[in-house]
Amino acid sequence: MKESKRDRIAVLVESQYIPIELETYKKVFSENGFHVDFVSRLQYPGGDNPSLTFVSEVEEAGKTPETLEVSIDFRDIDLEKYAAVIAAANYVTVRLRWTDEGDPRKAPAVQFFSKVMKDPEIVKGALCHALWLLTPTPENLAGRKVICHEVVEADIRNAGALVIKEADNVVLDDDLVTGKSAGEAAAMSESIIARIIELRNSPKQPCCTEEEPEQKQSSPETGQGRILILLSEWGYWGEELVGPVEVFDKKGYCLDFCTPKGRRPNAIPVSMDPDYIDPPLGRPVTSLEMALKVREFDNPETPQGKRLANPMRLQDWFPERPYASS
């Protein structure tokens, strides 16, 4: 496995954690060369706490709960050092969703995990009830393949996720690994480690240059300085594509083009016609210079036109599915 400065694993915890789950993370990740940090919310209105002591879940009458002292606030950590962030099982994330402002979207833990979800270099793990931490920001769940506890399944489906069943109760969807219950802590940990290794050993896609205008395909998690342009397969207004593309090319960005089903996009004919009179305005809206540029993009034989030859398929990222509400 390639060397990486990301040699730590962060585990979000709170009271009502499951001891054996946290012990499993400590053991499995440590054996594979990672340092495990248990992190939580230590800063509350009225002052900061150097540490907090959390109490484990106890379901058996008369059993004494275990305790866990945490001295790292998740808002203070340097995410550049972390290969994975895991939201612990049970009611940990329910408690982390609490905020004195009354809006769970403003809860620090919700905002933190939402930020982490947007970083493809960090593998995310969530067991059991943990996906509840993402339901206030459903854009982070929409279209993602996951598994979770039956108690939260309706909420997760309503947030747009694709809840699927796997024999081992662990589901891998790119940089998101989920498990059905705390019993899958070891299996999920192994899956996270395998994904971390894949990310480390995957070469970065080179960004295209002005000398190489043809499209360089990449998956969303690779490459830097990329811009994704979504186009209709049934006609786009020429200048609305050409204008931004010229600016992005000049700034050195690499552009990926995407259509719903991967078909080549075509410009609306009147957007290539300098003599076309726009009915509401009563005058032409496309200059001759722009019309010629749009025609170049619309011609599959020109260098610019070849950039649109093999667009990505949006359908691959968001499969057709019923938008069911439970």
Side-chain angles (χ1 to χ4, degrees), residues 16 18 21 25 57 59 86-94 125-135 146-156 163 169-171 177-185 188:
Q16 292 188 275
I18 299 175
E21 177 195 1
Y25 295 145
E57 174 192 56
E59 292 190 343
I86 299 171
N90 209 36
Y91 294 104
V92 164
T93 48
V94 179
L127 274 184
C128 192
H129 296 64
L131 288 176
W132 251 339
L133 198 61
L134 290 177
T135 53
V146 301
I147 192 170
C148 59
H149 196 283
E150 292 91 340
V151 171
V152 300
E153 185 172 319
D155 299 326
I156 304 309
V163 180
N169 290 329
V170 174
V171 171
V177 187
T178 51
K180 183 178 179 181
S181 68
E184 280 70 58
M188 189 182 78

Side-chain angles (χ1 to χ4, degrees), residues 237-248:
W237 189 263
E239 189 169 357
E240 291 181 356
L241 172 68
V242 175
V245 166
E246 288 183 337
V247 175
F248 297 147

Side-chain angles (χ1 to χ4, degrees), residues 72-140:
I72 303 175
D73 191 297
F74 52 73
R75 287 168 292 190
D76 295 333
I77 65 176
D78 179 3
L79 286 174
E80 293 291 327
K81 298 179 179 179
Y82 289 84
V85 173
I86 299 171
N90 209 36
Y91 294 104
V92 164
T93 48
V94 179
R95 300 174 68 91
L96 285 170
R97 279 180 24 150
W98 178 87
T99 172
D100 56 329
E101 297 184 54
D103 183 351
R105 291 173 297 179
K106 296 181 180 179
V110 169
Q111 294 178 345
F112 170 75
F113 208 63
S114 177
K115 176 182 177 181
V116 173
M117 286 292 294
K118 293 177 174 63
D119 189 337
E121 293 191 35
I122 300 176
V123 180
K124 278 67 70 173
L127 274 184
C128 192
H129 296 64
L131 288 176
W132 251 339
L133 198 61
L134 290 177
T135 53
T137 56
E139 65 273 15
N140 291 308

Side-chain angles (χ1 to χ4, degrees), residues 109-305:
V110 169
Q111 294 178 345
F112 170 75
F113 208 63
S114 177
K115 176 182 177 181
V116 173
M117 286 292 294
K118 293 177 174 63
D119 189 337
E121 293 191 35
I122 300 176
V123 180
K124 278 67 70 173
L127 274 184
C128 192
H129 296 64
L131 288 176
W132 251 339
L133 198 61
L134 290 177
T135 53
T137 56
E139 65 273 15
N140 291 308
L141 275 175
R144 302 304 296 265
K145 297 176 182 178
V146 301
I147 192 170
C148 59
H149 196 283
E150 292 91 340
V151 171
V152 300
E153 185 172 319
D155 299 326
I156 304 309
R157 288 186 185 277
N158 289 340
L162 305 173
V163 180
I164 61 178
K165 310 297 182 183
E166 291 289 353
D168 62 355
N169 290 329
V170 174
V171 171
L172 170 64
D173 180 22
D174 196 12
D175 57 351
L176 176 63
V177 187
T178 51
K180 183 178 179 181
S181 68
E184 280 70 58
M188 189 182 78
S189 299
E190 296 289 352
S191 184
I192 289 173
I193 291 170
R195 185 58 182 146
I196 291 171
I197 294 173
E198 289 177 1
L199 288 176
R200 289 187 180 180
N201 293 333
S202 297
K204 292 288 185 183
Q205 293 275 355
C207 193
C208 39
T209 65
E210 292 186 26
E211 289 74 29
E212 301 175 302
E214 62 271 14
Q215 180 185 5
K216 299 279 188 178
Q217 293 283 1
S218 75
S219 55
E221 74 272 8
T222 62
Q224 297 296 319
R226 311 189 74 86
I227 291 175
L228 179 66
I229 297 179
L230 295 163
L231 294 163
S232 168
E233 296 163 330
W234 300 101
Y236 62 88
W237 189 263
E239 189 169 357
E240 291 181 356
L241 172 68
V242 175
V245 166
E246 288 183 337
V247 175
F248 297 147
D249 283 346
K250 189 176 298 182
K251 293 293 184 179
Y253 287 95
C254 190
L255 307 183
D256 293 316
F257 301 95
C258 180
T259 60
K261 296 186 178 180
R263 300 191 185 104
R264 190 184 193 282
N266 297 291
I268 298 173
V270 294
S271 72
M272 299 181 280
D273 182 2
D275 297 324
Y276 171 70
I277 305 297
D278 182 66
L281 297 178
R283 61 174 175 80
V285 292
T286 302
S287 67
L288 176 60
E289 179 186 14
M290 180 56 66
L292 294 173
K293 290 180 179 179
V294 176
R295 290 173 191 172
E296 187 176 357
F297 270 89
D298 199 56
N299 185 344
E301 301 301 322
T302 66
Q304 294 288 34

